[in-house]
Amino acid sequence: MTQPKKLFIKTYGCQMNVYDSERMAEALGGNGYEEVGSPDEADMILLNTCHIREKAAEKIYSELGRYKELKTAKPDLKIGVAGCVAQAEGEEIIRRQPLVDLVVGPQSYHRLPEMEAKAGKEKVIDTDFPEEDKFEKLRARPKAKRGPTAFLTVQEGCDKFCAFCVVPYTRGAEVSRPVSRVLAEARDLVERGVREITLLGQNVNAYHGEGPDGRDWSLARLIWELAEIDGLERIRFTTSHPNDMDDDLIDAHGRCSKLMPYLHLPVQSGSDRILKRMNRSHGRDSYLRLIERIRNARPDILISGDFIVGFPEETDEDFRDTMRLIEEVRYGQAFSFKYSTRPGTPAAERAQVEAAVADARLQELQALITRQQRAVQDAMVGREVGVLIERKGRLEGQMVGKSDHLHAVHLTADLTPGDLVRVKITESGPNSLGGTLVGAAAGVAASTAASTSVNTA
Ligand code: 5AD
Ligand code: SF4
């Protein structure tokens, strides 16, 4: 029997890239590859890249530079660049770094096996937006066992064209996968041990996949259908746009017990003036009213957001508006970024905010968010929450899982990954909660409770 070839994939950026890397590893499995954890032993290295900010994109070139020695020592080593940098820069990547053999954009991953076969003999580049359904052609090899959580891409691309963002160019126009395909993939994941699925899309709540009845189904309808799958205990989705948060989805948050009380709903800025310039097509007040409606439906929902500071022409007053919006919303989680100029986007042409000013704003904003996150986390102490156990902790007998609100929770109990349990939260550390086992949740045979412990690492 021939030895399997070794594939090392390094993934940058968002959760969709994590999902895509899994699909690519599976596809290359058909070419005789198995995944390994280090580039040193690899026959092929694939970087799955992110183009969202300049730093992320530039990282790729320094990483590629590190593989020079490996390639000299092993000339047959194939080096590929996938993801959004591949899409945005195409053959420019090979011009800048000739050791790259293969460049593949996110819409062409199903062609990767063919490309791999040619790579090494010639340079292979594919950054097309082909007609065929790449997901169908990227079907998982059946029945490999999985951990308790998984991502599932249901929608890809974006038609919103925010003035700062490369996604509409790198991921292309907004496309939704048909309902039957999503359900089949979800059932397959559950059979392989998955208990929690996070539905992915750049604008996941704009989902409008064709249903079995021939009509377009909304994300809410898809979620209700997924909730019927026995053994699938938790559903999440990310990332949402405020304008696509319809009544049915808000209602699902109120009534669908498998839909977890966590919503990532980026606003980017709290200033109407900047939101307009960002081409966000929603205002500050409409966002705040939306949050209120969501909280009316599901009072304990944890709201998460994204913020950009230092967007071109942002004044101090605009920034204060953002800070006031954050104060009002009380985020349980947020990601904040200094504006990064992206070639080809409308905002790249505009007057830039001084770097030192943007740095200071980012620091101030992050300090506020950290306080809010901590307050939301601390408020969990004394409450009983559902926890899906994911892995062993660092201490003897300790297990780690995620709460319904996506907090990391540590507890010492005789449990295995995949157990869904009720935990009484007793401690709140900087990055995680600690608790004691109360009992099994929904049909899980859990064992006896033991002591509390918070991992503060
Ligand atoms: N500069 C800084 N942050 C950006 N984001 C998107 N484009 C840029 C950019 N040019 C942020 C947004 C988005 C998140 C994924 O990345 O906040 O929601
Ligand atoms: Fe980018 Fe805006 Fe589309 Fe989100 S909605 S992917 S920020 S263009």
Side-chain angles (χ1 to χ4, degrees):
M1 223 177 80
T2 52
Q3 282 288 330
K5 291 176 281 184
K6 297 191 165 69
L7 170 69
F8 173 69
I9 304 191
K10 187 159 180 170
T11 306
Y12 297 81
C14 64
Q15 291 150 322
M16 194 175 284
N17 269 8
V18 175
Y19 175 84
D20 286 343
S21 290
E22 287 166 5
R23 296 280 80 74
M24 288 193 278
E26 284 169 349
L28 287 172
N31 285 24
Y33 281 93
E34 67 175 27
E35 250 188 298
V36 291
S38 129
D40 302 334
E41 45 177 328
D43 300 296
M44 177 167 184
I45 295 174
L46 192 58
L47 300 185
N48 192 6
T49 62
C50 172
H51 200 249
I52 197 96
R53 284 168 290 275
E54 191 181 354
K55 258 204 197 124
E58 283 304 312
K59 245 195 244 167
I60 303 311
Y61 290 99
S62 47
E63 183 70 19
L64 287 170
R66 279 190 216 123
Y67 299 144
K68 256 191 195 135
E69 267 177 49
L70 281 178
K71 182 105 174 176
T72 313
K74 195 196 248 182
D76 287 346
L77 172 67
K78 296 178 183 179
I79 298 185
V81 177
C84 292
V85 176
Q87 189 62 45
E89 300 188 6
E91 59 192 33
E92 174 64 21
I93 296 175
I94 297 180
R95 261 201 295 276
R96 260 183 86 174
Q97 184 46 275
L99 58 74
V100 172
D101 301 292
L102 177 158
V103 175
V104 59
Q107 301 313 327
S108 306
Y109 290 160
H110 53 295
R111 295 175 175 170
L112 190 55
E114 269 170 58
M115 295 175 70
E116 185 280 330
K118 285 192 210 149
K121 299 181 215 89
E122 56 184 281
K123 302 283 183 196
V124 245
I125 301 174
D126 194 336
T127 53
D128 287 353
F129 285 92
E131 281 297 308
E132 67 258 23
D133 183 346
K134 76 166 169 183
F135 293 106
E136 266 312 277
K137 304 207 160 155
L138 271 176
R139 262 223 254 244
R141 273 174 303 153
K143 309 298 167 237
K145 189 95 181 94
R146 297 274 317 223
T149 64
F151 296 130
L152 199 175
T153 294
V154 301
Q155 180 280 338
E156 194 173 354
C158 180
D159 295 335
K160 299 243 175 354
F161 291 93
C162 296
F164 49 81
C165 187
V166 288
V167 165
Y169 313 98
T170 57
R171 288 275 171 179
E174 203 267 295
V175 179
S176 295
R177 295 178 68 191
V179 171
S180 59
R181 306 260 165 81
V182 174
L183 292 176
E185 193 168 324
R187 286 194 194 101
D188 179 60
L189 287 169
V190 171
E191 273 172 36
R192 292 155 69 195
V194 170
R195 312 206 66 194
E196 171 181 309
I197 291 180
T198 302
L199 306 175
L200 297 182
Q202 272 89 27
N203 259 291
V204 72
N205 58 343
Y207 177 84
H208 58 97
E210 189 186 349
D213 54 4
R215 298 207 177 152
D216 278 2
W217 281 29
S218 67
L219 184 66
R221 195 151 176 213
L222 178 69
I223 287 169
W224 282 110
E225 196 69 20
L226 285 164
E228 294 291 317
I229 298 176
D230 275 346
L232 176 60
E233 304 297 347
R234 289 170 146 193
I235 302 168
R236 306 181 187 276
F237 59 89
T238 195
T239 289
S240 298
H241 190 286
N243 284 8
D244 295 313
M245 210 58 217
D246 64 20
D247 289 346
D248 288 349
L249 193 52
I250 296 175
D251 176 64
H253 266 297
R255 292 192 304 116
C256 181
S257 58
K258 289 188 180 179
L259 183 58
M260 291 295 101
Y262 183 103
L263 180 64
H264 184 56
L265 197 62
V267 65
Q268 315 294 357
S269 167
S271 152
D272 275 331
R273 203 179 72 88
I274 293 296
L275 286 170
K276 228 188 206 115
R277 285 171 186 265
M278 285 177 164
N279 192 32
R280 283 292 291 181
S281 64
H282 62 78
R284 169 200 178 83
D285 283 350
S286 62
Y287 180 82
L288 289 171
R289 276 201 308 275
L290 178 59
I291 297 286
E292 198 179 309
R293 280 167 54 218
I294 296 163
R295 283 198 168 129
N296 283 339
R298 177 81 203 225
D300 73 332
I301 198 162
L302 187 150
I303 302 289
S304 152
D306 286 345
F307 296 91
I308 296 179
V309 300
F311 185 77
E313 297 158 35
E314 183 187 69
T315 63
D316 258 334
E317 192 44 43
D318 294 319
F319 176 64
R320 291 295 138 212
D321 283 344
T322 301
M323 294 292 278
R324 276 192 288 270
L325 177 136
I326 295 172
E327 298 273 11
E328 260 187 70
V329 173
R330 288 169 285 113
Y331 286 90
Q333 167 87 274
F335 306 90
S336 47
F337 314 97
K338 199 164 76 158
Y339 170 71
S340 167
T341 309
R342 307 311 292 127
T345 58
E349 309 297 323
R350 303 183 194 157
Q352 307 292 311
V353 169
E354 217 178 296
V357 172
D359 281 333
R361 286 178 190 162
L362 186 63
Q363 249 183 28
E364 195 182 335
L365 187 149
Q366 286 182 338
L368 173 60
I369 293 286
T370 304
R371 285 199 299 278
Q372 290 196 340
Q373 274 174 212
R374 193 60 203 263
V376 169
Q377 200 191 288
D378 290 351
M380 292 290 166
V381 175
R383 285 179 57 178
E384 208 182 292
V385 296
V387 173
L388 178 61
I389 301 299
E390 291 182 6
R391 58 187 168 83
K392 282 191 172 149
R394 266 191 273 158
L395 304 180
E396 178 69 30
Q398 193 185 50
M399 299 302 289
V400 187
K402 292 275 167 50
S403 76
D404 300 338
H405 298 90
L406 214 55
H407 288 123
V409 177
H410 297 81
L411 70 159
T412 302
D414 184 14
L415 295 168
T416 44
D419 286 349
L420 185 60
V421 291
R422 304 289 306 166
V423 173
K424 172 95 181 269
I425 300 300
T426 52
E427 280 189 63
S428 173
N431 301 311
S432 62
L433 296 165
T436 50
L437 185 66
V438 174
V444 186
S447 35
T448 48
S451 66
T452 309
S453 135
V454 179
N455 187 336
T456 52

